[in-house]
Short mmCIF file of all heavy atoms in Angstrom, two decimals:
data_model
loop_
_atom_site.label_atom_id
_atom_site.label_comp_id
_atom_site.label_asym_id
_atom_site.label_seq_id
_atom_site.Cartn_x
_atom_site.Cartn_y
_atom_site.Cartn_z
N ASN N 1 0.82 -1.20 -0.03
CA ASN N 1 -0.02 -0.02 0.00
C ASN N 1 0.85 1.31 0.01
O ASN N 1 0.33 2.37 -0.20
CB ASN N 1 -0.92 -0.03 1.22
CG ASN N 1 -2.14 0.92 1.01
OD1 ASN N 1 -2.75 0.90 -0.08
ND2 ASN N 1 -2.46 1.75 1.94
N LYS N 2 2.16 1.14 0.13
CA LYS N 2 3.02 2.27 0.12
C LYS N 2 3.58 2.60 -1.17
O LYS N 2 4.01 3.70 -1.49
CB LYS N 2 4.27 1.99 1.06
CG LYS N 2 3.96 1.75 2.54
CD LYS N 2 5.22 1.40 3.25
CE LYS N 2 4.96 0.97 4.70
NZ LYS N 2 6.26 0.58 5.41
N ILE N 3 3.53 1.58 -2.06
CA ILE N 3 4.14 1.71 -3.37
C ILE N 3 3.46 2.68 -4.25
O ILE N 3 2.19 2.49 -4.50
CB ILE N 3 4.26 0.33 -4.05
CG1 ILE N 3 5.05 -0.67 -3.21
CG2 ILE N 3 5.06 0.41 -5.42
CD1 ILE N 3 5.11 -2.17 -3.61
N VAL N 4 4.21 3.59 -4.73
CA VAL N 4 3.75 4.64 -5.76
C VAL N 4 4.17 4.29 -7.26
O VAL N 4 3.45 4.41 -8.15
CB VAL N 4 4.05 6.08 -5.44
CG1 VAL N 4 3.54 7.08 -6.49
CG2 VAL N 4 3.52 6.41 -4.08
N SER N 5 5.35 3.84 -7.26
CA SER N 5 5.95 3.40 -8.60
C SER N 5 6.64 2.15 -8.46
O SER N 5 7.49 1.96 -7.61
CB SER N 5 6.96 4.52 -9.02
OG SER N 5 7.65 4.14 -10.20
N LEU N 6 6.36 1.19 -9.38
CA LEU N 6 6.93 -0.10 -9.31
C LEU N 6 7.57 -0.49 -10.69
O LEU N 6 6.89 -0.44 -11.68
CB LEU N 6 5.93 -1.27 -8.89
CG LEU N 6 6.27 -2.65 -8.93
CD1 LEU N 6 7.44 -2.88 -7.96
CD2 LEU N 6 5.14 -3.58 -8.60
N ASN N 7 8.81 -0.82 -10.69
CA ASN N 7 9.48 -1.26 -11.89
C ASN N 7 10.01 -2.65 -11.66
O ASN N 7 11.01 -2.92 -10.98
CB ASN N 7 10.61 -0.27 -12.25
CG ASN N 7 11.31 -0.62 -13.60
OD1 ASN N 7 10.98 -1.57 -14.26
ND2 ASN N 7 11.98 0.28 -14.09
N MET N 8 9.37 -3.64 -12.40
CA MET N 8 9.78 -5.04 -12.46
C MET N 8 10.15 -5.47 -13.87
O MET N 8 9.97 -6.56 -14.16
CB MET N 8 8.78 -5.94 -11.80
CG MET N 8 8.41 -5.61 -10.33
SD MET N 8 7.49 -6.82 -9.45
CE MET N 8 8.57 -8.28 -9.52
N SER N 9 10.56 -4.58 -14.69
CA SER N 9 11.01 -4.81 -16.05
C SER N 9 12.12 -5.85 -16.12
O SER N 9 12.90 -6.00 -15.14
CB SER N 9 11.32 -3.57 -16.79
OG SER N 9 10.34 -2.75 -16.88
N LYS N 10 12.32 -6.54 -17.25
CA LYS N 10 13.42 -7.44 -17.52
C LYS N 10 13.59 -8.58 -16.49
O LYS N 10 14.58 -8.96 -16.12
CB LYS N 10 14.79 -6.63 -17.52
CG LYS N 10 14.87 -5.61 -18.55
CD LYS N 10 16.19 -4.92 -18.71
CE LYS N 10 16.29 -4.01 -19.89
NZ LYS N 10 17.62 -3.35 -20.06
N ASN N 11 12.38 -9.10 -16.26
CA ASN N 11 12.19 -10.32 -15.40
C ASN N 11 11.37 -11.31 -16.26
O ASN N 11 10.23 -11.47 -16.12
CB ASN N 11 11.53 -10.14 -13.97
CG ASN N 11 12.46 -9.36 -13.14
OD1 ASN N 11 13.49 -9.87 -12.65
ND2 ASN N 11 12.17 -8.12 -12.73
N PRO N 12 11.99 -11.97 -17.33
CA PRO N 12 11.28 -12.86 -18.22
C PRO N 12 10.58 -14.05 -17.47
O PRO N 12 11.12 -14.60 -16.51
CB PRO N 12 12.45 -13.46 -19.01
CG PRO N 12 13.59 -12.51 -18.91
CD PRO N 12 13.51 -11.85 -17.69
N GLY N 13 9.31 -14.30 -17.88
CA GLY N 13 8.57 -15.26 -17.33
C GLY N 13 7.88 -14.83 -15.94
O GLY N 13 7.39 -15.71 -15.21
N LEU N 14 7.81 -13.58 -15.74
CA LEU N 14 7.30 -12.95 -14.47
C LEU N 14 5.74 -13.28 -14.35
O LEU N 14 5.03 -13.17 -15.31
CB LEU N 14 7.56 -11.50 -14.37
CG LEU N 14 6.93 -10.82 -13.05
CD1 LEU N 14 7.75 -11.18 -11.84
CD2 LEU N 14 6.99 -9.30 -13.29
N ASN N 15 5.29 -13.82 -13.14
CA ASN N 15 3.92 -13.96 -12.88
C ASN N 15 3.55 -12.83 -12.04
O ASN N 15 4.13 -12.50 -10.89
CB ASN N 15 3.71 -15.28 -12.14
CG ASN N 15 2.26 -15.41 -11.66
OD1 ASN N 15 1.38 -14.92 -12.37
ND2 ASN N 15 2.07 -15.88 -10.49
N PHE N 16 2.56 -12.01 -12.45
CA PHE N 16 2.16 -10.86 -11.69
C PHE N 16 0.77 -11.06 -11.02
O PHE N 16 -0.26 -10.84 -11.59
CB PHE N 16 2.01 -9.60 -12.57
CG PHE N 16 2.21 -8.30 -11.98
CD1 PHE N 16 3.44 -8.06 -11.44
CD2 PHE N 16 1.25 -7.33 -11.84
CE1 PHE N 16 3.68 -6.88 -10.72
CE2 PHE N 16 1.41 -6.14 -11.19
CZ PHE N 16 2.70 -5.84 -10.65
N PRO N 17 0.73 -11.60 -9.80
CA PRO N 17 -0.53 -12.12 -9.13
C PRO N 17 -1.55 -11.01 -8.76
O PRO N 17 -1.12 -9.92 -8.31
CB PRO N 17 0.00 -12.85 -7.94
CG PRO N 17 1.36 -12.16 -7.59
CD PRO N 17 1.90 -11.74 -8.88
N ALA N 18 -2.80 -11.31 -8.96
CA ALA N 18 -3.85 -10.47 -8.57
C ALA N 18 -3.92 -10.08 -7.11
O ALA N 18 -4.39 -9.03 -6.68
CB ALA N 18 -5.24 -11.03 -9.14
N ASP N 19 -3.61 -11.07 -6.22
CA ASP N 19 -3.70 -10.87 -4.72
C ASP N 19 -2.66 -9.66 -4.35
O ASP N 19 -3.11 -8.95 -3.45
CB ASP N 19 -3.54 -12.13 -4.01
CG ASP N 19 -2.08 -12.72 -4.19
OD1 ASP N 19 -1.45 -12.42 -5.20
OD2 ASP N 19 -1.73 -13.53 -3.36
N PHE N 20 -1.58 -9.62 -5.02
CA PHE N 20 -0.62 -8.54 -4.66
C PHE N 20 -1.21 -7.19 -5.25
O PHE N 20 -1.11 -6.15 -4.55
CB PHE N 20 0.75 -8.88 -5.31
CG PHE N 20 1.67 -7.61 -5.20
CD1 PHE N 20 2.27 -7.32 -4.05
CD2 PHE N 20 1.95 -6.91 -6.34
CE1 PHE N 20 3.10 -6.18 -3.95
CE2 PHE N 20 2.82 -5.86 -6.26
CZ PHE N 20 3.33 -5.44 -5.08
N VAL N 21 -1.66 -7.25 -6.50
CA VAL N 21 -2.24 -6.05 -7.07
C VAL N 21 -3.30 -5.41 -6.35
O VAL N 21 -3.31 -4.21 -6.16
CB VAL N 21 -2.72 -6.37 -8.58
CG1 VAL N 21 -3.42 -5.19 -9.13
CG2 VAL N 21 -1.53 -6.79 -9.46
N GLN N 22 -4.17 -6.24 -5.82
CA GLN N 22 -5.34 -5.63 -4.96
C GLN N 22 -4.88 -5.01 -3.66
O GLN N 22 -5.67 -4.29 -3.04
CB GLN N 22 -6.32 -6.73 -4.73
CG GLN N 22 -6.98 -7.25 -6.06
CD GLN N 22 -7.82 -8.42 -5.93
OE1 GLN N 22 -7.58 -9.25 -4.88
NE2 GLN N 22 -8.80 -8.68 -6.72
N LEU N 23 -3.63 -5.32 -3.27
CA LEU N 23 -3.09 -4.64 -2.03
C LEU N 23 -2.48 -3.15 -2.41
O LEU N 23 -2.28 -2.42 -1.45
CB LEU N 23 -2.12 -5.43 -1.45
CG LEU N 23 -2.54 -6.76 -0.90
CD1 LEU N 23 -1.34 -7.65 -0.35
CD2 LEU N 23 -3.58 -6.69 0.26
N CYS N 24 -2.26 -2.93 -3.64
CA CYS N 24 -1.53 -1.72 -4.09
C CYS N 24 -2.50 -0.55 -4.31
O CYS N 24 -2.70 -0.26 -5.50
CB CYS N 24 -0.67 -2.01 -5.32
SG CYS N 24 0.63 -3.33 -5.04
N GLY N 25 -3.05 -0.14 -3.21
CA GLY N 25 -4.09 0.93 -3.35
C GLY N 25 -3.50 2.29 -3.89
O GLY N 25 -4.44 3.10 -4.30
N ASN N 26 -2.27 2.55 -3.83
CA ASN N 26 -1.74 3.90 -4.17
C ASN N 26 -0.74 3.87 -5.32
O ASN N 26 -0.09 4.88 -5.65
CB ASN N 26 -0.98 4.39 -2.89
CG ASN N 26 -1.95 4.82 -1.78
OD1 ASN N 26 -2.90 5.56 -1.97
ND2 ASN N 26 -1.64 4.17 -0.61
N LEU N 27 -0.65 2.73 -6.10
CA LEU N 27 0.23 2.70 -7.18
C LEU N 27 -0.22 3.63 -8.34
O LEU N 27 -1.39 3.54 -8.75
CB LEU N 27 0.34 1.26 -7.69
CG LEU N 27 1.59 0.96 -8.61
CD1 LEU N 27 2.85 0.82 -7.85
CD2 LEU N 27 1.27 -0.26 -9.41
N ARG N 28 0.73 4.42 -8.88
CA ARG N 28 0.47 5.24 -9.95
C ARG N 28 1.26 4.86 -11.25
O ARG N 28 0.70 5.01 -12.30
CB ARG N 28 0.78 6.67 -9.64
CG ARG N 28 0.06 7.25 -8.48
CD ARG N 28 -1.45 7.40 -8.69
NE ARG N 28 -2.09 8.18 -7.71
CZ ARG N 28 -2.54 7.64 -6.57
NH1 ARG N 28 -2.41 6.37 -6.36
NH2 ARG N 28 -3.27 8.42 -5.68
N GLU N 29 2.43 4.23 -11.08
CA GLU N 29 3.28 3.96 -12.25
C GLU N 29 3.74 2.46 -12.20
O GLU N 29 4.22 2.07 -11.06
CB GLU N 29 4.57 4.87 -12.20
CG GLU N 29 4.13 6.31 -12.40
CD GLU N 29 5.43 7.23 -12.56
OE1 GLU N 29 6.61 6.66 -12.46
OE2 GLU N 29 5.31 8.35 -12.53
N LEU N 30 3.59 1.82 -13.28
CA LEU N 30 4.00 0.44 -13.42
C LEU N 30 4.73 0.19 -14.65
O LEU N 30 4.30 0.44 -15.82
CB LEU N 30 2.65 -0.46 -13.38
CG LEU N 30 2.90 -1.96 -13.46
CD1 LEU N 30 3.73 -2.42 -12.26
CD2 LEU N 30 1.63 -2.71 -13.57
N ARG N 31 5.91 -0.37 -14.50
CA ARG N 31 6.80 -0.83 -15.63
C ARG N 31 7.03 -2.21 -15.65
O ARG N 31 7.70 -2.75 -14.74
CB ARG N 31 8.13 -0.01 -15.58
CG ARG N 31 7.95 1.58 -15.73
CD ARG N 31 9.18 2.30 -15.51
NE ARG N 31 9.03 3.67 -15.83
CZ ARG N 31 8.47 4.56 -15.03
NH1 ARG N 31 8.02 4.32 -13.92
NH2 ARG N 31 8.38 5.87 -15.48
N LEU N 32 6.56 -2.94 -16.71
CA LEU N 32 6.72 -4.34 -16.92
C LEU N 32 7.26 -4.63 -18.21
O LEU N 32 6.68 -5.57 -19.04
CB LEU N 32 5.44 -5.07 -16.59
CG LEU N 32 4.88 -5.02 -15.22
CD1 LEU N 32 3.45 -5.62 -15.13
CD2 LEU N 32 5.80 -5.69 -14.18
N SER N 33 8.25 -3.87 -18.71
CA SER N 33 8.76 -4.07 -19.99
C SER N 33 9.68 -5.28 -20.01
O SER N 33 10.30 -5.62 -19.03
CB SER N 33 9.48 -2.82 -20.54
OG SER N 33 10.60 -2.57 -19.76
N THR N 34 9.71 -5.92 -21.18
CA THR N 34 10.70 -7.09 -21.44
C THR N 34 10.53 -8.10 -20.39
O THR N 34 11.50 -8.57 -19.78
CB THR N 34 12.17 -6.56 -21.49
OG1 THR N 34 12.28 -5.23 -22.11
CG2 THR N 34 13.16 -7.47 -22.26
#
């Protein structure tokens, strides 16, 4: 809930689970390139 900007780019095969996403009430920027 503290995260405003999250960069997890360049992690091939990454699983981005919904249970984590639903906890991120303040996220504004998300980078998931490559």
Side-chain angles (χ1 to χ4, degrees):
N1 202 44
K2 301 176 186 176
I3 303 174
V4 176
S5 175
L6 176 61
N7 189 346
M8 295 191 69
S9 299
K10 296 187 177 181
N11 286 295
L14 178 70
N15 174 39
F16 207 65
D19 61 342
F20 171 76
V21 172
Q22 292 170 336
L23 297 174
C24 298
N26 293 304
L27 193 79
R28 300 294 190 275
E29 299 182 1
L30 178 62
R31 292 171 173 82
L32 295 174
S33 64
T34 321

